[in-house]
Amino acid sequence: MAARTTTRETRRPARAAHPAEPAAATQPADGGTTRGRLTELRIRGLGAIDDVTLELGDGLTVVTGETGAGKTMVVTGLTLLFGGRADPGRVRANGRAGVEGRLALPADSPVWERAADAGADPDDDGTLILARTVSAEGRSRAHLGGRSVPVGVVAELAEGLLAVHGQSDQLRLSRPAEQRRALDRYAGTAHLALLDRYREAYGRWRQLAGDLERRRGQARELAQAADVLRHGLEEIEAVGPQPGEDDELDAQARRLSDADALRAAADEARTALVGDVTGDLGDDLPQDAGAALAIAERTLAASDDPTLVMLAQDLTDAIAVVSDVAGQLATYVADLDADPARLAEVMDRRAAITALVRKYADVGEGVAGVLAWAEDARRRLDELDVSDEALEALETARDAARAEVDDLGAQVSAGRRAAADGFAAEVGRELAGLAMKSARVSFSVESDPDAPGPDGIDEVALLMAAHPGAPPRPVHKGASGGELSRVMLAIEVVFAGADPVPVMVFDEVDAGVGGQAAGEIGRRLARLARQHQVVVVTHLAQVAAFADTHLVVDKSPDTGAGVTGTDIRAVDGEDRVRELARMLSGLTDSDTGQAHARELLAVAATARAAA
């Protein structure tokens, strides 16, 4: 892996010719984790960093450097890239910060499906490019696969791609809810599925209990509201409107009101088509269409010309159509009702329907709105029912739901207790290797079946006894800052095999640790790096010695701008020895420091080979 400083403009990701087929290039040429990895990271204008591009490899990458050089900006850039909160205070004076990353993902990664939903395309080499920019005013934009997307989409993807651990995670680990969540996660998928069932049952129970309490506490108000709804339903049911009846009544009213005019129009049209079939109109009528067409048809049919004969057949068809229309007009006239009494009946019905529409429907909805109001009123009446029968039925349903909650809660609690000893034992074994051999870790699972909560009936606490004879205390009270860091790392190592997140970032989780414990932290981070891409910001040479890739953050004065910038370089060989010597003694050229650095590298290499 190499690191280089660059001042070129942000590269626009090339678009793949066939974005629907990323599989051919999702694996990096140099192998790599089958879960995916971040192959490249570019940071511009963020904190002390002007413009650097890092080409990231597999395994364990450590980032070291002097205090204040900008090591943490690498973590900040990663967090920002994957949807973290944008802090305009981190933006340099040029007014815009940007982070760009390139992800190599396996073909079956769920990230591809979500990216496709967002309109993103893979790059030419099958990788997925993410980008995030932040202005000094706090405006933020995100891009995924060359498409602008909401920051929330990138944050959603990050849940399955990246896990960042730092001092805030130590604080998070001190919260009982997080300790319970860790225990549930350790208990396995079947336990988590059972917990989901419990949460659903708990939600139903709380809803039924709240509904029952509301009905009992507001019986008078609910009864009054129900009376209003019943009155409306009675009005509607008394009229009995049918779907589309308002439009049909309007049409009938128009036909009845204009019956004479409609009859005259229909008779005139029929006469024009087929003449006076009744003989009541005399002999002065003009020739009708049917007769004219018949003459034309006979004339053409008598010809020997094939074309005219074919046209005669067309006229035969036209005569049939004319005859059919004339028959329909006759039926229309026969059915036309000019009864004034029927007209009055239609008008009265329409007035009743209109009154309901004005009272119970929104403008433009008509009878459909009235029927919708009635359906909603019936549903609301069920919710407002405060009769003894309804309350008794609701109470029975509530009690049944509570019984299910109690049963599932007991099963969840049993699963936690069964998992607690195994989890504590595995974490304890890891702590023993982190120079905390005397520490004892355990879980306290206190159950209260009479007070179920949304996550069960248990109060879970992670306890630690720092040395033999010491009473177990909550881990955030019984552990120092360095010990808490090691507890957190031990938990991550225990979870490593089952954790689907391909990229893990640790920001100075070794704070407050030294000596043998520091070397063991490096050993365990290297173990994590077998199954994940691990990036660690550290100030300990014992940790840095285990790295597959070692990045150094240097301060680089920019006399032109009058500010301090940052350069990031990859070190190997003697450059790496000098950096480890600086971390050990503060002197890069110290013979003693360099000898110690070489010894650390040799020990780390042996430990990695033996693991």
Side-chain angles (χ1 to χ4, degrees), residues 146-180:
R147 299 292 181 91
S148 179
V149 296
V151 174
V153 171
V154 179
E156 178 185 338
L157 294 180
E159 294 180 2
L161 290 173
L162 181 78
V164 179
H165 304 280
Q167 297 299 317
S168 61
D169 293 86
Q170 297 177 18
L171 297 175
R172 179 169 56 86
L173 186 62
S174 69
R175 296 196 289 266
E178 292 296 331
Q179 296 168 8
R180 182 180 58 227

Side-chain angles (χ1 to χ4, degrees), residues 219-275:
R220 182 175 180 179
E221 294 85 349
L222 295 179
Q224 291 174 345
D227 286 342
V228 173
L229 293 176
R230 289 193 190 94
H231 176 72
L233 284 173
E234 289 171 359
E235 279 192 316
I236 295 172
E237 290 169 359
V239 175
Q242 301 300 311
E245 185 179 3
D246 47 351
D247 294 334
E248 178 61 28
L249 289 172
D250 288 342
Q252 287 189 37
R254 285 193 299 272
R255 290 171 62 184
L256 289 168
S257 299
D258 301 333
D260 292 338
L262 294 173
R263 180 182 290 106
D267 282 337
E268 183 178 353
R270 180 166 174 269
T271 300
L273 292 175
V274 296

Side-chain angles (χ1 to χ4, degrees), residues 102 156 219 537:
R102 185 183 294 270
E156 178 185 338
V537 176

